[in-house]
Amino acid sequence: IAGHLDTPTGRPAVFWSLKTLQKGDEVETISANAVRSTFVVTGVSSIPLDKFPNEEVFKTKPGKNLNLITCGGVWNSAKKIYSNRIVVYTTLKE
């Protein structure tokens, strides 16, 4: 799931606090039909945008996993883009 870090005016958006998650933290999702699932954070990475490992982030892995992605790093106002992407890797809690 990819979500915004902030809004065009700099106000916090849905993934504002994503960078605070740490290994072992839990993330809960609620599906459209109200099924709750709990995922455990297995890792957090801040990756330079020009070195983003698409294959690593989006590849199929054993188990049930959920990766959360947002912007991070330094804001480049000329290009209107952040320098990094924050990726939180999780796996379904059994």
Side-chain angles (χ1 to χ4, degrees):
I1 299 175
H4 286 288
L5 173 69
D6 57 7
T7 67
T9 60
R11 296 186 66 187
V14 67
F15 278 172
W16 179 259
S17 298
L18 198 67
K19 62 185 171 248
T20 66
L21 290 173
Q22 298 177 9
K23 191 173 183 178
D25 286 345
E26 294 184 354
V27 174
E28 185 177 72
T29 62
I30 304 171
S31 70
N33 59 346
V35 174
R36 292 178 183 265
S37 299
T38 302
F39 292 82
V40 178
V41 174
T42 58
V44 179
S45 295
S46 180
I47 305 164
L49 184 58
D50 62 346
K51 296 182 192 284
F52 192 81
N54 284 313
E55 187 173 322
E56 175 64 25
V57 173
F58 297 112
K59 76 179 178 182
T60 301
K61 300 176 188 173
K64 297 178 180 177
N65 305 287
L66 174 70
N67 294 338
L68 307 171
I69 305 166
T70 196
C71 298
V74 177
W75 174 251
N76 181 325
S77 58
K79 293 183 178 181
K80 299 189 185 299
I81 195 165
Y82 281 95
S83 61
N84 290 14
R85 293 296 175 264
I86 307 281
V87 181
V88 176
Y89 301 93
T90 72
T91 190
L92 185 64
K93 184 177 181 179
E94 298 295 330

